[in-house]
Amino acid sequence: DNADIPNESTSNLYRGEVQLHSNITNYLVLTGGVEGTLSEVQSSLFGNPDAYSIGAYVVGDITFNFPLIASIGVRYDYSKLDSLDGSGAVSPKLGLNYKISKELILRSSFGTGFRAPTTAEAFTSTSTGGITVKPNPNIKSEYNLTFEFGANYTPMKFINFDFAVFQNEYYDMIEPGVDPADGLVFFSNLVRARIQGLEASTIFYLLPNELSLSFNYTYLWARDLETGTALRYRPRHIFYSGVDFRKWNFDFGINFRYTSRVEEIDDELVDLGIVVDGDVRVPVYTTDVKLGYTLVSFNLPLNIYLNIKNIFNYNYVELIGNLRQIRNYSFGINLML
């Protein structure tokens, strides 16, 4: 890149997996396996760390005489990242799917999770745009406990509704932050965090296989339980909508996205004068348009397309002081062999 000290990286990732899938009976299907990864990195950003991880899992899908399907599984992971202490966890999961009728299906899931810090989170050391990121050799793995309940309802062929509520409990959640002692950015572990919310979506098939209209809304309540404040850069409201039309070898679509103004940012970068006007932020309203045409009617195996992102050229930031993509156009040709 064009930084004063170029950021260069060469990495090798090796991954292998063996999986077994077996129909034990007409009512029980077992899937299990083992996998492993090994990575080697040589980088001006991260240094030269090595890492490896191993995992083993088994999942049983059980079908009952009544319309219930249960998935019960457990997984073990162990990860070792260079000089960091190795860590592992056993993660059980349970999923239920109950078909009340052909129009209405209920689902629920419960499980635990484990995530080791990445090379970037533990060892990044760089400076760009006036912001300096430092490594954190004391970073630990994070764990979570998740629950979800949802329903899918199709009252008619041309309409579908989906609704879900969820709660995620995080322990030692990995988040970027600013060290108030020196104003440097680093990744660290939040003691406790909770993310709750709901998601609702609907699709209207106004003309089967030709014209569809979709809406999706997410409410997100993400907070640090130690401080009682919202997690940084998480919007409370997210809304998507889109129209898609396909006919006569023609493809047209409009997509709109809204996210509410984020409640919390890295105020330390503003208070220390590192990012001027870094606290200036707004809700996000962006609209994208896509156009495409397939030339099969001319006996040509070609598809041409034009994408226009942020067509109204709305200016906004998603991270502090980082202006997001302005209006831009892309034109392309796909050859279909």
Side-chain angles (χ1 to χ4, degrees), residues 223-336:
R223 60 199 185 278
D224 183 337
L225 296 182
E226 293 294 309
T227 63
T229 59
L231 293 180
R232 298 178 180 188
Y233 303 108
R234 264 76 166 191
R236 185 73 65 97
H237 306 279
I238 305 171
F239 175 77
Y240 291 92
S241 64
V243 177
D244 286 285
F245 176 75
R246 295 179 178 86
K247 194 174 184 179
W248 308 305
N249 301 322
F250 183 72
D251 187 1
F252 171 76
I254 299 178
N255 296 290
F256 170 78
R257 175 172 69 104
Y258 161 78
T259 62
S260 60
R261 180 179 182 269
V262 296
E263 301 171 37
E264 298 291 337
I265 62 170
D266 293 309
D267 290 309
E268 297 90 343
L269 294 176
V270 180
D271 298 337
L272 295 171
I274 298 175
V275 180
V276 179
D277 293 329
D279 56 342
V280 177
R281 58 194 188 278
V282 295
V284 177
Y285 306 90
T286 59
T287 305
D288 303 330
V289 175
K290 62 178 181 179
L291 300 165
Y293 188 76
T294 303
L295 301 177
V296 293
S297 57
F298 298 96
N299 295 319
L300 295 174
L302 295 176
N303 171 263
I304 58 176
Y305 65 87
L306 172 67
N307 292 331
I308 308 174
K309 301 289 187 180
N310 195 5
I311 190 171
F312 299 113
N313 203 34
Y314 185 80
N315 295 323
Y316 65 99
V317 297
E318 286 185 329
L319 294 176
I320 185 169
N322 181 23
L323 184 67
R324 294 300 296 153
Q325 202 171 50
I326 60 175
R327 182 194 301 122
N328 65 93
Y329 307 83
S330 61
F331 175 77
I333 298 175
N334 291 323
L335 175 63
M336 298 174 289

Side-chain angles (χ1 to χ4, degrees), residues 61-76:
D61 294 316
I62 307 171
T63 303
F64 296 88
N65 292 324
F66 50 97
L68 174 67
I69 299 175
S71 294
I72 304 173
V74 64
R75 179 183 175 97
Y76 174 76

Side-chain angles (χ1 to χ4, degrees), residues 25-305:
T25 68
N26 292 334
Y27 302 99
L28 175 62
V29 177
L30 281 181
T31 303
V34 294
E35 61 178 336
T37 62
L38 171 67
S39 65
E40 302 169 341
V41 178
Q42 294 181 339
S43 168
S44 58
L45 275 175
F46 315 131
N48 304 314
D50 296 332
Y52 70 87
S53 64
I54 56 174
Y57 58 91
V58 61
V59 179
D61 294 316
I62 307 171
T63 303
F64 296 88
N65 292 324
F66 50 97
L68 174 67
I69 299 175
S71 294
I72 304 173
V74 64
R75 179 183 175 97
Y76 174 76
D77 289 281
Y78 179 84
S79 179
K80 180 72 169 68
L81 177 57
D82 206 69
S83 59
L84 274 64
D85 292 335
S87 57
V90 176
S91 304
K93 296 184 183 296
L94 170 66
L96 300 173
N97 186 295
Y98 190 84
K99 188 175 182 179
I100 294 180
S101 66
K102 67 178 183 178
E103 294 86 12
L104 180 61
I105 300 174
L106 302 180
R107 67 181 184 275
S108 65
S109 64
F110 173 83
T112 64
F114 161 83
R115 187 176 79 85
T118 65
T119 300
E121 290 169 335
F123 296 116
T124 294
S125 178
T126 188
S127 181
T128 181
I131 297 177
T132 300
V133 182
K134 67 177 182 179
N136 180 6
N138 298 315
I139 194 169
K140 299 181 295 184
S141 298
E142 71 175 29
Y143 303 83
N144 64 37
L145 178 68
T146 66
F147 169 80
E148 178 181 329
F149 174 80
N152 188 279
Y153 182 50
T154 308
M156 292 169 280
K157 290 184 178 181
F158 62 87
I159 187 171
N160 175 267
F161 298 100
D162 194 270
F163 178 81
V165 293
F166 55 87
Q167 177 165 321
N168 301 325
E169 300 286 338
Y170 288 92
Y171 303 85
D172 292 325
M173 184 180 188
I174 299 173
E175 282 277 280
V178 178
D179 189 339
D182 52 21
L184 303 184
V185 175
F186 73 121
F187 288 86
S188 62
N189 298 95
L190 288 178
V191 177
R192 279 282 280 115
R194 177 176 295 156
I195 298 178
Q196 296 171 304
L198 62 86
E199 184 174 38
S201 64
T202 182
I203 301 178
F204 297 92
Y205 300 98
L206 303 179
L207 296 174
N209 301 318
E210 294 180 4
L211 179 62
S212 65
L213 176 63
S214 62
F215 300 95
N216 183 283
Y217 170 73
T218 302
Y219 175 79
L220 201 64
W221 189 21
R223 60 199 185 278
D224 183 337
L225 296 182
E226 293 294 309
T227 63
T229 59
L231 293 180
R232 298 178 180 188
Y233 303 108
R234 264 76 166 191
R236 185 73 65 97
H237 306 279
I238 305 171
F239 175 77
Y240 291 92
S241 64
V243 177
D244 286 285
F245 176 75
R246 295 179 178 86
K247 194 174 184 179
W248 308 305
N249 301 322
F250 183 72
D251 187 1
F252 171 76
I254 299 178
N255 296 290
F256 170 78
R257 175 172 69 104
Y258 161 78
T259 62
S260 60
R261 180 179 182 269
V262 296
E263 301 171 37
E264 298 291 337
I265 62 170
D266 293 309
D267 290 309
E268 297 90 343
L269 294 176
V270 180
D271 298 337
L272 295 171
I274 298 175
V275 180
V276 179
D277 293 329
D279 56 342
V280 177
R281 58 194 188 278
V282 295
V284 177
Y285 306 90
T286 59
T287 305
D288 303 330
V289 175
K290 62 178 181 179
L291 300 165
Y293 188 76
T294 303
L295 301 177
V296 293
S297 57
F298 298 96
N299 295 319
L300 295 174
L302 295 176
N303 171 263
I304 58 176
Y305 65 87

